[in-house]
Amino acid sequence: MPEITINLAAGRTDEQKKGMMLDITAALVKNLGVPAEAVVIQINEAPHNNKMKGGQTFVERYAAAAAAKK
């Protein structure tokens, strides 16, 4: 049984996450020949203040991007 874990910054809608999981399931069914019922997908979401890239939290990154657009 394939098990996929996805780590994301919080903020996607339930519809977006479900669509992604359905697409991943379909890819595993197609490429690995497993039944969809065997595929397990788990999403771990982190609040933006608990996720960092390039020395800035995602809160800081989004604030800097918004300021740059002004």
Side-chain angles (χ1 to χ4, degrees), residues 1-68:
M1 135 177 98
E3 187 165 332
I4 307 296
T5 303
I6 300 162
N7 298 309
L8 292 174
R12 275 69 173 202
T13 67
D14 288 342
E15 292 79 19
Q16 289 172 317
K17 292 182 284 188
K18 183 176 180 178
M20 177 188 64
M21 290 187 286
L22 287 171
D23 288 348
I24 292 168
T25 299
L28 294 173
V29 168
K30 175 184 173 186
N31 292 290
L32 300 182
V34 297
E37 295 78 24
V39 177
V40 176
I41 300 173
Q42 176 177 317
I43 297 174
N44 298 321
E45 291 184 280
H48 290 178
N49 61 325
N50 288 354
K51 197 163 182 79
M52 180 177 275
K53 181 178 179 182
Q56 290 183 309
T57 66
F58 276 46
V59 171
E60 294 166 334
R61 293 174 65 82
Y62 294 141

